[in-house]
Amino acid sequence: MMFKLGHSINQPVNLPNSKGVELFIKREDEIHPFVSGNKYRKLKYNLLEAKKKGFKTLLTFGGAFSNHIAAVASAGNLLGFKTIGVIRGEELENKILDNETLSFAKQNGMQFKFVSREAYRNKTSEAFLAKLKDTFNDFYLIPEGGTNALAVKGCEEILTETDKAFDYICCAVGTGGTISGLINCSKLSQQVLGFPALKGDFLQQDISKFVTKTNWDLITDYHFGGYAKINDELVAFINTFKELNKIPLDPVYTGKMMFGVFDLINKGYFKKGSKILAIHTGGLQGIKGMNRVLKNKNLQIIE
């Protein structure tokens, strides 16, 4: 599209106890080393729209370990856009070099505006956006996590004709854009399962804004306490999965989703003979930052 891309293949997954089902993982993480997985999909049509309308600057929002922030910074650098990141947490302003995500974004030319968590909650208000316009002049606004109608359009390209043989499509859910695209491009005979990475019941409503099909459900039992919350059990699973399959998983999204899929297989959730496709949405850049947190707590790190 706008820069050279790798290939997304469906790779079989080793199942210690298959329960008569087959599991494959779509390697969307291999699309691009920095703008990978669903981040490329969500940004594709937004960046084309920004270019078409003559914008020179992209502005978006995110937290300390945001895959979206890293991807926007990298894509902007590759395509000649100036990028601005509005970052949740004023305390991070003097800790950029201690944060792998923010230091990477800075290396790619991103300018930051750090705001309090209270102010961040109002980031979509007209008053907040008007202040940003006063500070940074004109910019193309990309929502937190990248989810809007153009992002969903990009995510509708994840599934191809070769994927129509799968009975279940599974993916991690953050802001709902990726699963919305998957639902829209799925066959009615397929069931799309989303595994939210954070607590809350708002996602059902958010996803419903973008879809009309009803062949989907959210599995809310595998968020491990909330966004970016993990424990030794999850870390051990991610490390074992990588050892058996030579596939790294991120701890915030895809690791939780795959843990959930394995657990549901063990519990007999999927009918015998089912073919399951799990979507690897990337996010591997966040492992370094998470490992720093784990080390500080004297916990097992992600290999």
Side-chain angles (χ1 to χ4, degrees):
M1 157 236 178
M2 300 171 286
F3 37 77
K4 190 174 180 180
L5 297 175
H7 298 288
S8 175
I9 63 166
N10 294 342
Q11 187 171 332
V13 173
N14 290 311
L15 290 171
N17 186 0
S18 71
K19 297 281 188 173
V21 305
E22 292 180 85
L23 175 62
F24 290 76
I25 185 166
K26 184 176 278 292
R27 298 295 307 277
E28 289 281 287
D29 58 305
E30 297 202 327
I31 288 177
H32 190 272
F34 306 118
V35 193
S36 74
N38 63 342
K39 296 310 170 192
Y40 167 76
R41 302 293 187 183
K42 288 182 174 183
L43 288 173
K44 175 180 176 180
Y45 290 107
N46 273 290
L47 296 182
L48 287 172
E49 183 73 4
K51 190 174 183 181
K52 176 184 172 184
K53 291 187 173 178
F55 285 95
K56 306 295 184 186
T57 301
L58 309 172
L59 183 142
T60 195
F61 309 89
F65 302 113
S66 170
N67 298 321
H68 175 67
I69 287 290
V72 170
S74 180
N77 188 34
L78 288 167
L79 299 174
F81 286 102
K82 179 182 176 183
T83 57
I84 298 164
V86 180
I87 308 299
R88 180 180 64 248
E90 291 173 307
E91 74 280 0
L92 297 168
E93 187 164 4
N94 298 316
K95 299 178 180 178
I96 294 173
L97 297 180
D98 296 327
N99 182 292
E100 282 77 4
T101 299
L102 296 181
S103 59
F104 171 81
K106 185 177 181 179
Q107 288 164 20
N108 279 270
M110 180 171 273
Q111 180 182 350
F112 300 121
K113 178 175 177 61
F114 294 89
V115 300
S116 69
R117 281 163 170 74
E118 183 181 358
Y120 192 85
R121 283 194 284 271
N122 298 315
K123 63 186 178 296
T124 58
S125 71
E126 288 186 16
F128 189 89
L129 293 174
K131 286 183 180 179
L132 291 176
K133 285 273 176 74
D134 289 341
T135 303
F136 298 111
N137 299 316
D138 212 16
F139 54 75
Y140 183 86
L141 179 67
I142 301 175
E144 181 181 34
T147 291
N148 57 16
L150 290 174
V152 173
K153 178 182 177 181
C155 291
E156 289 171 2
E157 298 176 354
I158 293 174
L159 297 181
T160 66
E161 274 299 301
T162 59
D163 301 324
K164 64 183 180 182
F166 288 98
D167 302 294
Y168 293 91
I169 310 296
C170 300
C171 76
V173 180
T175 52
T178 304
I179 191 173
S180 296
L182 290 170
I183 293 164
N184 289 343
C185 66
S186 67
K187 305 294 182 185
L188 287 175
S189 59
Q190 296 174 317
Q191 183 75 5
V192 182
L193 300 178
F195 293 76
L198 59 166
K199 291 191 291 187
D201 55 4
F202 57 92
L203 283 167
Q204 199 92 20
Q205 187 176 351
D206 289 350
I207 294 165
S208 296
K209 296 174 186 175
F210 297 108
V211 305
T212 55
K213 295 177 184 176
T214 58
N215 60 330
W216 60 281
D217 198 7
L218 296 181
I219 310 294
T220 58
D221 302 325
Y222 301 101
H223 53 65
F224 284 82
Y227 180 73
K229 299 285 181 65
I230 64 173
N231 60 21
D232 281 337
E233 185 182 20
L234 180 61
V235 172
F237 171 82
I238 289 170
N239 288 339
T240 301
F241 185 89
K242 184 179 179 183
E243 184 180 348
L244 291 175
N245 296 284
K246 312 304 178 194
I247 302 172
L249 302 174
D250 86 286
V252 178
Y253 292 105
T254 308
K256 293 181 178 181
M257 178 269 296
M258 192 59 76
F259 183 100
V261 171
F262 267 56
D263 194 48
L264 291 180
I265 290 172
N266 289 333
K267 290 175 177 176
Y269 179 93
F270 302 102
K271 293 179 183 177
K272 194 172 183 178
S274 296
K275 290 188 69 175
I276 308 162
L277 181 63
I279 311 299
H280 195 315
T281 48
L284 300 176
Q285 67 84 29
I287 292 175
K288 287 183 179 178
M290 184 61 74
N291 275 345
R292 188 188 289 263
V293 173
L294 292 171
K295 282 180 182 177
N296 290 339
K297 294 181 177 180
N298 291 316
L299 297 174
Q300 180 184 5
I301 66 166
I302 299 162
E303 302 297 337

